[in-house]
Amino acid sequence: MAEDNEDVQLEARLAEQDRFEPPSSFTEQANVSDPGIYEEFEENWPDCWEQAAELLDWDQAHDEVLDESNAPFYEWFIGGELNASYNCIDRHIEDGRGDEVAIEWVGEPVDETRTYTYDELHEEVNEVAATFREMGVSEDDVVTMYLPMIPELPIAMLACARIGAPHSVVFAGFSADALATRMESADSEYLITCDGYYRRGDALDHLDKANQGLSNVSHETTTVVVDRLGEAGFGHDLDENQHDYADLVSEQEGEEVEPVTRDAEDMLFLMYTSGTTGEPKGVKHTTGGYLSYAAWTTHTVLDVKPEDTYWCSADIGWITGHSYIVYGPLALGTTSVMYEGTPDYPDKDRMWEITEEYEITQLYTAPTAIRAFMKWGKQYPEEHDLSSLRLLGTVGEPINPRAWKWYYTHIGDEDCPIVDTWWQTETGGIMITTLPGIGTMKPGSAGPPLPGIDAGIVDTGGEKIEAGEAGYLTVDKPWPGMLRTLYQNDDRFINEYWQEYSDPDSDEWVYFPEDGATVDEDGYITVLGRVDDVINVSGHRLGTAEIESAIVGVEGVAEAAVVGGDHEMKGEAVYAYVITEDGYDGDEELREEIVAGVEDAIGPIARPEEVLFTPELPKTRSGKIMRRLLEDIANEEELGDTSTLRNPDVVSEIQQQAQSD
Ligand code: WTA
């Protein structure tokens, strides 16, 4: 009882507090502690970005920091040459740190762990690089990876980087169709996958899904299959174009592959992400700019030092895992922890058990996970000693102040700064957040743009708006980690990101991330969410058009509209409004088929929370679906303006039905 009272008092005290200062124990040791960095970067732009490039070892120094002559196709560190795998591995060994841990892998089954020192990582990355060469992978060939969170994933990525072959990692939770689309789009002839993996104790058959995907790829492919499950596996037979990873790699035992010198602007990887149309976008990132920016933000924002044991709990199948499990941390020579499983298996204290056991110094996770921890209760973290933690981070979606404060109190013990980091697949690295050793934190607000990043909030006409009003987020100057284009689609690159607020006639280019935001009188930005047709489910970006196309692919469906509705845990959830074809009933059976159809086409993460059958969809006179109204219905909010509708009556009908369901 006494304890409950204490909690109530604590909550009450925190509820009122809207500003938090970083503890002096943190600021005294922070990688960045001089607030002058903001001014320094502003005055010295773009040369300030030399500081990022200097975190890497270059084979050839650049001649020029930024080339704007072909904007918005900006180029960074022109003339510079380097290799990303060398920067993430070899140079740390040359510094005498080969026996320090690079990757600490924690399997889902308790007690299954693997540790890779930098020496061991070097050995396996070289053997895999030699394997890829032997298979015929040449510089600039795109290698697809469809792997869960096992060490072979970062190893294969670094092996690709070593030989100058860009990788394209497809999230293992995505469907066979999603894999096929991405391999086709990238003309990728090589696939690295595995037999299966564990999810909450069950073995999942991954190769079966990969094979279904491959059967829809029109060109020849060669596949390498990692045996993850061993005895617990599914007894797959490999066909003639498929090879066992361990067999191939053992043939290259002890082989070393000289890291190839890549131009700063050469592609390091492709990452597909969702956009307004159904076709996923292949975001292109480069070797020099991306790697410098990933390293610099890991240093300045996540405060990573070589002696840390740093843990980002994202999946490497998303950009967060690329930048902040693999490239940033390894470029800085730290220990990066990689966890295969879910936070609640075998019990809801798994993350805290790992934190205690490995003495984690920084934890970087998503608001959706924090909301789950909060719901499960503080008794889980309380069972463990979390005092090794020095910094906490969040990414992927807005964090509500209550969840922020819970994280601050129950995980950080009121003694760790929290960095709420806004960024995107396209930005390559963190763009908006407080610097943990400098900035006052305001729960719910990401913070000011990083030094050297020029972001602002504008109205529909592109004019800067007043503090406190909502508008659109823009980035007004280029930065080294930015995407260079959409793979083989320069036009779409311009249309998606540069059309809205740029003035090409006067060569003024403004990047539009398609997020809504507000800014306060101190210049702190609160990002509200997407303003395009993208839904952010548990921090995962999904295109409504992709989901809709999966739904209309189900027999009996005539038309569908999908929107994001508020969801307590997931942030947003998928709400589908469906019109059936004549002769079909909107019944439970069809509903199940729709859910299955979405899972098949995209993956379980896109599973609709609700499917609502309706006779019509609200449309404007020009025939465009009014999604905002459907969102209002999903959120049980008062309806927005219906006067521009061709069929205003339908809205109240749908609303009544939603309420009765
Ligand atoms: C959202 C993930 C609010 C935003 C790194 C962005 C956020 C999209 C935050 C990118 C944050 C990311 N606060 N919203 N701290 N971080 N977002 O490409 O809508 O998977 O545009 O990259 O997530 O998602 P993506």
Side-chain angles (χ1 to χ4, degrees):
M1 220 34 218
E3 204 181 299
D4 279 357
N5 252 331
E6 249 174 57
D7 270 1
V8 172
Q9 282 170 14
L10 178 72
E11 272 234 6
R13 172 165 64 79
L14 287 179
E16 304 221 326
Q17 192 175 340
D18 55 10
R19 279 160 197 257
F20 293 76
E21 296 304 325
S24 58
S25 56
F26 185 90
T27 53
E28 281 158 14
Q29 59 77 62
N31 283 347
V32 180
S33 53
D34 177 4
I37 186 171
Y38 288 97
E39 217 179 287
E40 183 195 328
F41 268 59
E42 197 174 328
E43 284 172 3
N44 197 21
W45 195 92
D47 292 342
C48 54
W49 290 115
E50 302 263 5
Q51 282 192 25
E54 279 163 14
L55 291 173
L56 305 180
D57 279 2
W58 297 73
D59 301 340
Q60 173 73 48
H62 57 263
D63 311 315
E64 204 187 332
V65 171
L66 170 65
D67 180 357
E68 302 187 79
S69 60
N70 194 22
F73 299 94
Y74 296 96
E75 296 194 350
W76 286 89
F77 308 128
I78 331 302
E81 292 175 354
L82 76 167
N83 180 282
S85 161
Y86 172 83
N87 271 283
C88 291
I89 309 172
D90 305 51
R91 64 174 182 149
H92 308 312
I93 298 172
E94 288 166 14
D95 287 346
R97 304 185 50 247
D99 56 1
E100 290 176 27
V101 177
I103 297 176
E104 200 69 88
W105 179 77
V106 183
E108 188 193 92
V110 178
D111 296 334
E112 192 186 352
T113 59
R114 273 198 258 165
T115 299
Y116 288 83
T117 62
Y118 277 95
D119 277 335
E120 288 163 339
L121 186 63
H122 183 262
E123 192 179 314
E124 192 157 330
V125 166
N126 272 278
E127 290 169 358
V128 175
T131 303
F132 287 170
R133 280 242 171 106
E134 190 68 29
M135 281 163 55
V137 179
S138 316
E139 214 173 321
D140 296 318
D141 285 348
V142 176
V143 177
T144 302
M145 284 148 212
Y146 188 44
L147 284 170
M149 287 287 283
I150 56 177
E152 287 79 1
L153 175 53
I155 287 168
M157 290 161 75
L158 292 163
C160 276
R162 200 165 188 88
I163 59 172
H167 51 73
S168 162
V169 180
V170 179
F171 175 57
F174 273 146
S175 69
D177 285 357
L179 172 67
T181 320
R182 286 158 178 74
M183 285 187 77
E184 283 277 319
S185 156
D187 279 325
S188 174
E189 294 173 6
Y190 303 94
L191 174 68
I192 322 301
T193 186
C194 68
D195 59 341
Y197 59 100
Y198 294 105
R199 247 320 152 263
R200 298 198 173 87
D202 295 328
L204 301 188
D205 191 340
H206 193 57
L207 187 55
D208 183 48
K209 210 163 64 160
N211 282 336
Q212 281 176 37
L214 285 172
S215 67
N216 286 322
V217 175
S218 57
H219 54 263
E220 293 273 305
T221 54
T222 306
T223 308
V224 179
V225 183
V226 178
D227 179 3
R228 159 72 189 107
L229 296 174
E231 297 277 291
F234 297 89
H236 289 288
D237 291 323
L238 301 184
D239 73 25
E240 57 177 313
N241 296 328
Q242 301 190 311
H243 311 280
D244 178 70
Y245 175 91
D247 286 351
L248 289 185
V249 174
S250 68
E251 283 169 25
Q252 305 296 330
E253 203 182 321
E255 278 300 314
E256 292 212 359
V257 174
E258 187 66 21
V260 302
T261 297
R262 298 280 280 170
D263 190 276
E265 282 294 309
D266 279 343
M267 171 157 56
L268 180 61
F269 66 84
L270 264 183
M271 168 110 244
Y272 281 89
T273 189
S274 300
T276 305
T277 68
E279 181 98 348
K281 308 186 275 197
V283 170
K284 175 184 160 182
H285 281 297
T286 57
T287 313
Y290 168 83
L291 192 63
S292 303
Y293 197 69
W296 183 80
T297 46
T298 307
H299 174 81
T300 51
V301 178
L302 301 170
D303 200 52
V304 165
K305 302 172 172 61
E307 56 278 14
D308 285 334
T309 306
Y310 152 91
W311 183 15
C312 165
S313 75
D315 192 293
I316 296 177
W318 307 102
I319 191 71
T320 306
H322 278 54
S323 301
Y324 299 115
I325 298 178
V326 184
Y327 287 112
L330 296 182
L332 298 183
T334 196
T335 299
S336 185
V337 173
M338 192 179 159
Y339 172 50
E340 183 186 29
T342 53
D344 56 352
Y345 185 85
D347 204 351
K348 298 188 176 69
D349 69 338
R350 187 73 194 269
M351 302 244 331
W352 319 123
E353 190 181 83
I354 297 171
T355 303
E356 178 172 13
E357 181 168 342
Y358 290 91
E359 298 183 33
I360 303 291
T361 40
Q362 292 94 336
L363 177 67
Y364 191 29
T365 192
T368 192
I370 298 166
R371 288 192 293 267
F373 304 146
M374 203 169 129
K375 186 172 168 208
W376 298 336
K378 66 184 168 61
Q379 65 276 24
Y380 293 101
E382 272 175 0
E383 281 163 25
H384 297 276
D385 176 4
L386 308 181
S387 60
S388 56
L389 288 169
R390 184 172 88 235
L391 171 135
L392 301 174
T394 78
V395 55
E397 32 168 345
I399 180 162
N400 45 311
R402 243 191 103 215
W404 192 102
K405 289 174 186 175
W406 192 92
Y407 194 34
Y408 182 75
T409 313
H410 298 291
I411 307 304
D413 196 24
E414 300 186 62
D415 205 27
C416 297
I418 296 182
V419 284
D420 171 356
T421 61
W422 177 88
W423 59 293
Q424 311 180 294
T425 305
E426 292 86 343
T427 70
I430 299 165
M431 301 283 281
I432 300 175
T433 186
T434 48
L435 283 171
I438 300 175
T440 302
M441 295 164 274
K442 301 185 191 179
S445 173
L450 282 178
I453 299 298
D454 188 2
I457 318 293
V458 299
D459 62 19
T460 33
E463 295 301 318
K464 288 269 182 290
I465 58 154
E466 304 265 315
E469 280 170 31
Y472 302 96
L473 181 62
T474 56
V475 185
D476 301 346
K477 279 194 190 131
W479 65 100
M482 66 197 301
L483 80 164
R484 295 302 191 268
T485 191
L486 292 175
Y487 191 57
Q488 293 176 339
N489 205 340
D490 289 347
D491 289 346
R492 190 169 177 201
F493 169 68
I494 305 260
N495 288 341
E496 292 258 358
Y497 306 108
W498 303 96
Q499 194 90 303
E500 202 77 27
Y501 294 111
S502 302
D503 181 4
D505 295 337
S506 52
D507 208 24
E508 265 175 41
W509 296 93
V510 173
Y511 174 81
F512 180 42
E514 304 195 83
D515 270 336
T518 62
V519 60
D520 73 8
E521 60 290 348
D522 300 323
Y524 275 49
I525 294 174
T526 297
V527 177
L528 303 167
R530 307 283 309 186
V531 293
D532 58 358
D533 295 329
V534 168
I535 313 182
N536 192 335
V537 180
S538 303
H540 300 150
R541 210 166 131 176
L542 303 169
T544 49
E546 283 167 87
I547 306 175
E548 285 164 5
S549 110
I551 296 178
V552 293
V554 173
E555 194 186 320
V557 173
E559 205 180 344
V562 160
V563 299
D566 297 341
H567 190 275
E568 199 191 337
M569 303 294 287
K570 300 178 186 172
E572 275 190 294
V574 175
Y575 284 79
Y577 298 86
V578 175
I579 304 178
T580 55
E581 264 179 59
D582 257 0
Y584 286 87
D585 285 335
D587 55 15
E588 201 43 44
E589 197 184 326
L590 187 57
R591 186 168 291 165
E592 279 168 22
E593 278 167 18
I594 288 171
V595 170
V598 172
E599 289 196 359
D600 281 350
I602 301 161
I605 42 167
R607 173 187 248 282
E609 187 75 18
E610 269 191 50
V611 177
L612 217 90
F613 293 105
T614 145
E616 259 185 278
L617 292 168
K619 288 191 179 162
T620 59
R621 290 194 180 90
S622 61
K624 227 178 146 265
I625 297 171
M626 284 278 273
R627 290 164 191 284
R628 243 182 318 107
L629 291 173
L630 294 173
E631 274 164 20
D632 291 343
I633 296 172
N635 294 334
E636 293 175 20
E637 273 167 15
E638 210 168 295
L639 295 180
D641 184 12
T642 57
S643 61
T644 57
L645 288 184
R646 186 170 66 188
N647 49 357
D649 296 344
V650 71
V651 184
S652 52
E653 272 175 52
I654 303 177
Q655 202 174 25
Q656 274 166 18
Q657 202 187 329
Q659 281 157 0
S660 68
D661 260 30

